[in-house]
Amino acid sequence: VREELGRISSDFPQLNFTMIRDDSTFIEEADHDVMVTLIMGAVLAAAIVLLFFRNLRNTLITVAGLPIIVIGTFSIMSLLGYTRNIISLMALSLSIGLLIDDAIVVRENIFRHMERGASPREAAEKATGEIAFAVLAITLTIVAMFIPVAFTTGQVGVLFKQFGITVAVAVLVSLFEAFTLAPLLSAYLAKPMKTESALNHVGRSPGFGDRLERVWINAARGYKHVLTWCLRYRWIVASGAVASVVASIWMIRLLPVSFYPTSDQGLITVGIRLPPGTPLERTDLIARDVEQVTKGRPEIKRVFTRVSAGQGSLSIQLQDPSQTDAVIAHLRSSLSQHGRTLSFSPARGFMGVGGGGGGANVGGRPVQVAVRGPVSLDTLDEAADDVIQRLRTVPGLRDVDKSLPAKEPELKIVVDRQRTAKNGVSASTVGQTIRTLVQGTTATQVNWKDERMDVTVRLRPEDRTNSEAIMDIPMTGPGGELWPLQSMARIERSTGPAVLERSERQRQILVGANLEGRSQGAVTPDVQKALTGISLPTGVTWRFAGQQAQTQSAFGSLAFAMALGMVFVYMVLASQFGSVVHPFTIMVALPLSAVGAIGALVLARVDLTVISMIGIILLMGLATKNSILLVDFIIRYRRQGQSRNEAVITASPVRLRPILMTTLAIILGMVPTAMGLGAAGEFRAPMAIAVIGGVFSSTLLSLLVVPVAYTLVDDAVNFVTRPFRRKVS
């Protein structure tokens, strides 16, 4: 389009072209920023691997498959017909640490066997087979959580189908890489390790790596002592876990609920709304006042104005989106003489989704209340006025208005059906005649410059505005006689609405408001409180519309998807472990992850949105990862003849390193996204914040609670099955 405009400009130098709105720049910036965060996340995740392995060769072997995973994911996305958009790239940037998660687990187990003296090829073969079951279970649980999300309906389903499918495809590709490339590179590129010294097993001279190894050994010993204490006081640990979950549920009340997080686009819409019948010149004068205030201000890039009789809008594009609130405050102050004639709406949303910018259009404002009922329009209008008075008392709401404009003057031509029947003229003929005279009728078409153009016949403008002249026009009866229109109809002067709205077969008036200084989620409870107990006429009700209604629908769909995902996760775990009990032990981590997710959102002071809910669903899949690694090895050691507590204390420290490695890789991989940098940064940040907090809490609590839960579940199973065992013996 830009190239074509350049060619047109060269052909018509007398014309000046100005790009009023160009969303492609925002898309290009957001695409670039997401790609940068993806690369930054990969680098930080690789740094964690290097920190734990303390060897550049082993680190490169571990992360070598990451480009292959990303390219493979893009290839499958292309086959599915998906585009490289902000949603699909956000899925990759958020899961960048997750993509090497399987490779880390496999590579760490190979690394552990090499520490014990195995050759790289022997370690690759034995360790991969040993950990394959757990890695497969981890990947399938993540896929199971996102299968329901991919099939949600409505706007959420349209937006996040690609997100869920992209994450599922990426982790499946990473599973394939972990079972093929990771052990292959380990077998042929890794060097055998020296085992003479515990502090020199990677063949490095004493230094920073040795000190890290000593820290690691001490951490594993400390964890073993803490775990021994937890097993001794199991009910204290279990009670603390339950208390933390209950506290997180209570903290949900502190989170405002919104549809989408806002992303300021630096665009302000000023709406002009004057009484019906206001001449075009008066509307244009007010628009010029707004233009005059904007002239010379360095924050403003361009102003585009549309004006019609009684209504208008100005689109003000800013140089810097961060100055939106300051510019709106200046405009309100400088144009206060116009009162409620003007409304100011910042375009905050995500490429038109969940944003403001309604201007004079009430239906585009972020806060909307629908007043509806099977009553007369006048009664409904009075009820809407009562709602407006209540909403004007809510802090943070500005430009409160209704969708029903003031009544416009109109002329009603009422046909006398008895007289028309007596004269032999039908009422429809009278109506069609008046329509032809005032609105016009296409009589024929003419060819002009190779184009066919309609020829419309109607009265001259000066005749159309003269109602007496219209009523004097004669009409032809069936016998050819002429009857003046006034002999068969009369004129009634009245007022009436120019717009009628219906919803669910009932009349409806929308009441809308813009936000100032508060988010939609923070304002909604106050709106609910202000309208509670309002006295409305019989049959008239109010309900949230617009984004609030979409929020309720979206959260209902996502809650159902999350519940269904948990059922799928249980089915996967039950089939993998061949048990109906152990999946519950593993899924103990799910509520524990919510503790950190909700806590992180509260501390970051961000709303609970659809985006953060998707992050929590992603978290549900990640939370079971640590539990699977722990329970899988506990069962493995018990099958080798160890007692229950001995297996727990032996297996858990062995799995500590891969758990910490994958956790830190996921967290650091999401840090660039959580910082909210660049275009649409505010849109992506809540999801990363929720996942980081949840992964941190689930890891910290799972290391202590899951082993304890395993012993408690085992005791419960033994108690239930004891009578049957006695009977068998």
Side-chain angles (χ1 to χ4, degrees):
V1 171
R2 297 190 189 113
E3 292 176 358
E4 188 64 28
L5 281 176
R7 286 192 289 267
I8 295 175
S9 297
S10 62
D11 294 339
F12 300 92
Q14 69 274 23
L15 297 182
N16 181 31
F17 293 92
T18 300
M19 188 76 73
I20 300 303
R21 179 171 178 173
D22 185 3
D23 287 342
S24 67
T25 56
F26 180 82
I27 296 172
E28 290 165 356
E29 291 173 4
D31 179 86
H32 174 266
D33 293 334
V34 174
M35 293 294 288
V36 169
T37 56
L38 192 151
I39 295 172
M40 290 174 60
V43 172
L44 291 173
I48 289 298
V49 178
L50 178 62
L51 183 66
F52 276 85
F53 283 166
R54 306 172 308 282
N55 184 281
L56 183 60
R57 177 187 291 266
N58 291 329
T59 301
L60 293 177
I61 291 174
T62 304
V63 301
L66 190 55
I68 297 175
I69 297 172
V70 174
I71 294 173
T73 303
F74 278 132
S75 301
I76 297 177
M77 288 169 55
S78 177
L79 293 176
L80 294 174
Y82 292 167
T83 60
R84 194 183 82 245
N85 53 63
I86 297 175
I87 296 295
S88 57
L89 287 182
M90 184 171 62
L92 283 176
S93 65
L94 281 172
S95 55
I96 190 66
L98 177 63
L99 297 185
I100 60 171
D101 190 49
D102 293 341
I104 288 176
V105 174
V106 172
R107 186 70 184 90
E108 189 278 336
N109 209 40
I110 296 173
F111 188 85
R112 185 172 61 88
H113 279 272
M114 291 172 61
E115 287 179 332
R116 296 180 177 180
S119 66
R121 185 164 184 172
E122 292 173 346
E125 182 177 352
K126 184 176 181 180
T128 304
E130 185 179 63
I131 203 67
F133 175 83
V135 172
L136 180 63
I138 291 171
T139 301
L140 292 181
T141 54
I142 296 174
V143 173
M145 280 302 304
F146 275 100
I147 288 176
V149 176
F151 293 98
T152 52
T153 58
Q155 194 175 42
V156 175
V158 172
L159 280 174
F160 292 106
K161 179 179 181 179
Q162 285 198 28
F163 185 94
I165 297 293
T166 301
V167 172
V169 168
V171 296
L172 288 174
V173 174
S174 70
L175 175 68
F176 177 77
E177 186 274 338
F179 282 166
T180 56
L181 186 62
L184 176 69
L185 296 180
S186 300
Y188 290 98
L189 297 183
K191 289 184 178 181
M193 292 184 175
K194 299 179 181 180
T195 59
E196 297 86 16
S197 171
L199 293 180
N200 197 33
H201 59 77
V202 291
R204 298 174 63 183
S205 59
F208 180 70
D210 298 328
R211 289 193 292 271
L212 284 178
E213 177 65 14
R214 189 180 298 278
V215 170
W216 170 250
I217 293 174
N218 293 333
R221 290 173 180 171
Y223 173 56
K224 192 172 184 178
H225 292 314
V226 172
L227 190 58
T228 303
W229 183 91
C230 291
L231 293 179
R232 187 179 305 161
Y233 301 100
R234 295 182 300 170
W235 290 107
I236 295 178
V237 176
S239 301
V242 172
S244 63
V245 173
V246 173
S248 67
I249 295 174
W250 179 85
M251 282 195 301
I252 293 179
R253 301 187 303 172
L254 304 177
L255 286 175
V257 179
S258 301
F259 190 39
Y260 284 117
T262 59
S263 181
D264 204 327
Q265 300 175 30
L267 180 66
I268 301 172
T269 302
V270 181
I272 304 174
R273 188 171 181 179
L274 297 170
T278 302
L280 178 64
E281 293 76 15
R282 169 62 179 162
T283 311
D284 184 55
L285 182 62
I286 296 177
R288 291 182 182 275
D289 285 347
V290 180
E291 292 176 345
Q292 188 65 32
V293 172
T294 63
K295 281 183 178 180
R297 292 193 64 87
E299 308 97 328
I300 296 176
K301 187 176 182 180
R302 70 174 66 94
V303 180
F304 178 71
T305 307
R306 293 184 180 93
V307 176
S308 61
Q311 289 193 355
S313 66
L314 292 90
S315 298
I316 302 174
Q317 184 67 54
L318 305 182
Q319 299 283 359
D320 184 1
S322 63
Q323 298 174 330
T324 300
D325 293 333
V327 172
I328 289 179
H330 172 74
L331 292 176
R332 286 189 188 277
S333 175
S334 303
L335 299 168
S336 58
Q337 70 272 17
H338 295 295
R340 293 172 182 168
T341 299
L342 302 178
S343 60
F344 302 86
S345 304
R348 290 194 173 108
F350 180 63
M351 297 307 299
V353 179
N361 180 18
V362 173
R365 299 185 184 180
V367 177
Q368 297 178 43
V369 174
V371 183
R372 65 179 64 161
V375 295
S376 67
L377 194 60
D378 292 336
T379 302
L380 197 64
D381 193 21
E382 293 176 0
D385 289 337
D386 292 340
V387 172
I388 289 175
Q389 295 302 321
R390 293 287 188 102
L391 293 187
R392 283 176 178 161
T393 64
V394 177
L397 291 186
R398 298 297 297 266
D399 310 321
V400 185
D401 204 352
K402 58 186 176 183
S403 60
L404 183 68
K407 294 181 179 179
E408 298 185 4
E410 63 183 14
L411 295 180
K412 289 184 178 180
I413 299 180
V414 182
V415 177
D416 188 335
R417 295 181 179 272
Q418 292 183 351
R419 298 188 68 177
T420 54
K422 181 179 178 181
N423 295 334
V425 180
S426 65
S428 62
T429 301
V430 175
Q432 268 193 325
T433 302
I434 296 173
R435 177 182 178 183
T436 299
L437 296 174
V438 177
Q439 182 178 345
T441 300
T442 301
T444 185
Q445 289 182 326
V446 296
N447 291 324
W448 185 70
K449 292 185 178 181
D450 298 327
E451 291 186 14
R452 296 184 66 84
M453 304 185 67
D454 293 335
V455 177
T456 302
V457 178
R458 63 175 179 174
L459 293 176
R460 296 176 301 175
E462 59 269 25
D463 294 330
R464 294 199 302 268
T465 58
N466 189 341
S467 59
E468 288 77 11
I470 293 177
M471 298 302 291
D472 286 337
I473 291 177
M475 300 188 63
T476 304
E481 62 275 14
L482 298 177
W483 303 96
L485 181 58
Q486 61 183 349
S487 66
M488 293 179 289
R490 67 181 188 276
I491 290 182
E492 293 183 357
R493 298 182 182 273
S494 63
T495 59
V499 178
L500 293 176
E501 294 181 16
R502 286 185 176 84
S503 178
E504 298 178 3
R505 303 177 68 181
Q506 292 183 345
R507 290 190 178 96
Q508 172 178 284
I509 297 177
L510 280 179
V511 176
N514 290 319
L515 297 171
E516 184 179 68
R518 301 183 71 189
S519 67
Q520 182 198 81
V523 166
T524 300
D526 292 342
V527 173
Q528 179 90 32
K529 184 178 179 181
L531 296 182
T532 299
I534 186 173
S535 179
L536 296 176
T538 304
V540 177
T541 60
W542 71 270
R543 67 180 64 181
F544 284 116
Q547 295 178 29
Q548 287 95 337
Q550 290 176 332
T551 301
Q552 296 173 357
S553 174
F555 274 78
S557 298
L558 290 178
F560 177 76
M562 185 182 298
L564 192 60
M566 291 181 183
V567 174
F568 287 169
V569 168
Y570 175 83
M571 295 168 62
V572 168
L573 295 175
S575 62
Q576 287 291 103
F577 283 88
S579 170
V580 297
V581 177
H582 290 311
F584 290 111
T585 305
I586 295 171
M587 295 175 69
V588 165
L590 298 183
L592 298 179
S593 63
V595 176
I598 296 172
L601 292 175
V602 171
L603 292 176
R605 296 183 179 181
V606 296
D607 293 1
L608 181 63
T609 63
V610 173
I611 303 299
S612 50
M613 277 290 290
I614 293 291
I616 292 175
I617 292 178
L618 173 61
L619 179 61
M620 295 292 104
L622 297 177
T624 58
K625 170 182 64 67
N626 300 331
S627 303
I628 291 173
L629 292 176
L630 289 172
V631 173
D632 176 55
F633 263 60
I634 291 173
I635 295 175
R636 188 183 301 274
Y637 278 100
R638 289 196 69 179
R639 288 173 179 170
Q640 293 176 3
Q642 294 186 7
S643 64
R644 184 190 65 192
N645 285 12
E646 184 182 5
V648 169
I649 295 175
T650 304
S652 298
V654 171
R655 294 290 85 198
L656 180 61
R657 182 165 61 186
I659 287 175
L660 293 181
M661 287 180 65
T662 55
T663 297
L664 292 176
I666 291 172
I667 290 177
L668 287 185
M670 292 186 181
V671 164
T673 304
M675 294 173 65
L677 302 177
E682 302 94 335
F683 185 84
R684 296 179 278 119
M687 184 184 297
I689 291 172
V691 174
I692 288 174
V695 169
F696 178 80
S697 69
S698 66
T699 300
L700 187 62
L701 296 176
S702 294
L703 287 171
L704 303 177
V705 176
V706 170
V708 170
Y710 178 85
T711 61
L712 293 175
V713 171
D714 190 63
D715 286 342
V717 172
N718 290 334
F719 177 79
V720 172
T721 60
R722 186 177 301 153
F724 300 99
R725 292 201 304 269
R726 288 176 180 173
K727 185 176 181 180
V728 171
S729 67

